Amino acid sequence: MSNTKVRVTWAAVTQAFKLPMALIRRMITKLINRVLMSTLPSPRIAGQTIADCNKRKMVVGLGNPGMNGSRHSVGMAVLTTLAERLGAPDSWRSDRQVSGEVLVTQLEDIKLVLLRPKLFMNVNGVSVAKAASKYLISPEHILLIHDELDKPLGKFGIKHGGSARGHNGVRSCVDCLQTDVMPRLRIGIGRPSGKTPVDRYVLGRFSQEEQKVVDSVMKQSVDVLLTYITDLQPQTSPAEGRRAPHKNKASTLSPPQDTTEEQKQS
């Protein structure tokens, strides 16, 4: 056999082993999700009508527990800022039933549940599904906040359902809730420069200059969140001076829809 054929054959064998390993990792993560979800908490309130359920919403800050300040946990930071804006920064309580920290408050006529999962990012969906079961919140009323590599630092936007786009925390939520209709607030962190591995980059902390941008983004994104939660047609950036088109309820495993509700910190 010639050297060329050997190289081609070896390349094919190597590639064949790479794909199954990725699939194996996905299967292991799904298995962990299923095991951790083996016992869902009983609904907190019985005998609720559909109208009552529509008045309950949940906002989730995805991230890794104990890694405050890291790029990957910026969703939790935004959620903490939201709690402060709602005047309840000290109302968090640990809830073992949902494997997370929970804050329940009232926003106009909406019962609002804020959730910070205490599980690692790859299995955040377990905490989300448990909280959804306990508080009787449907997936379309669950808003996920997470970091986004494909948005530059200083930009953020609402995405109405669709695929996880490679984000492990969102993927876990899709797997555990068995639908992808959840809207997301994506906070841009940008991609690493040079040869810095993505995993090391997302687990790293913002620089002092970056943190200044992030602080401003968090304030602006909370404004968008409050409008989105209370308004069927959330407003876009003030600079755009218009409202985003109303989105009908997405179907299970719907194609990704990225709205123009995107802002950039100048």
Side-chain angles (χ1 to χ4, degrees):
M1 182 180 293
S2 67
N3 289 337
T4 301
K5 290 183 178 180
V6 170
R7 285 197 296 269
V8 171
T9 303
W10 178 247
V13 171
T14 303
Q15 188 63 33
F17 277 97
K18 285 182 180 178
L19 183 59
M21 285 304 297
L23 294 176
I24 289 171
R25 285 194 296 269
R26 285 289 308 278
M27 291 173 63
I28 291 174
T29 301
K30 284 189 174 184
L31 179 61
I32 294 173
N33 284 335
R34 296 295 180 266
V35 171
L36 293 176
M37 286 181 58
S38 58
T39 305
L40 289 175
S42 300
R44 187 180 180 86
I45 306 172
Q48 296 296 305
T49 65
I50 293 178
D52 292 330
C53 291
N54 287 337
K55 291 183 179 180
R56 284 200 296 275
K57 297 183 179 181
M58 181 162 66
V59 183
V60 184
L62 300 183
N64 285 307
M67 296 194 68
N68 299 333
S70 70
R71 295 180 178 89
H72 219 20
S73 295
V74 71
M76 287 186 171
V78 172
L79 193 68
T80 299
T81 302
L82 174 61
E84 293 171 355
R85 181 76 66 86
L86 294 172
D90 301 318
S91 299
W92 294 97
R93 60 179 180 81
S94 182
D95 189 336
R96 295 181 61 184
Q97 285 188 315
V98 304
S99 304
E101 292 179 313
V102 176
L103 189 161
V104 181
T105 188
Q106 197 75 21
L107 180 62
E108 297 182 3
D109 63 341
I110 298 169
K111 175 165 282 188
L112 186 63
V113 178
L114 308 187
L115 173 66
R116 293 190 301 211
K118 295 180 74 173
L119 302 172
F120 287 113
M121 178 71 87
N122 288 18
V123 288
N124 268 191
V126 174
S127 182
V128 177
K130 286 183 174 182
S133 176
K134 179 173 181 175
Y135 293 99
L136 291 172
I137 301 175
S138 57
E140 62 267 26
H141 292 151
I142 299 173
L143 190 144
L144 310 175
I145 313 174
H146 65 88
D147 58 300
E148 178 57 58
L149 283 165
D150 291 329
K151 283 187 181 297
L153 182 69
K155 297 186 72 175
F156 63 93
I158 295 284
K159 179 174 183 286
H160 295 271
S163 71
R165 290 188 177 181
H167 193 285
N168 291 329
V170 176
R171 181 182 291 127
S172 175
C173 293
V174 172
D175 288 343
C176 293
L177 293 169
Q178 298 183 14
T179 180
D180 68 351
V181 300
M182 298 78 68
R184 303 109 200 232
L185 175 61
R186 304 188 302 155
I187 308 296
I189 61 171
R191 287 194 171 272
S193 59
K195 297 182 179 180
T196 304
V198 170
D199 55 351
R200 181 182 301 176
Y201 174 76
V202 299
L203 295 177
R205 300 175 68 88
F206 292 107
S207 67
Q208 289 185 350
E209 289 301 314
E210 289 174 333
Q211 189 61 53
K212 293 178 183 178
V213 177
V214 172
D215 290 342
S216 182
V217 164
M218 287 195 292
K219 294 176 182 177
Q220 294 184 54
S221 61
V222 166
D223 291 336
V224 172
L225 274 175
L226 291 172
T227 302
Y228 188 88
I229 293 167
T230 57
D231 193 348
L232 290 177
Q233 292 183 307
Q235 291 182 338
T236 61
S237 164
E240 293 171 344
R242 60 187 176 82
R243 288 175 177 267
H246 175 65
K247 298 291 182 180
N248 294 326
K249 185 184 296 183
S251 59
T252 301
L253 296 181
S254 56
Q257 303 173 39
D258 208 353
T259 74
T260 58
E261 295 166 31
E262 183 177 277
Q263 299 189 14
K264 183 174 181 179
Q265 172 62 23
S266 57

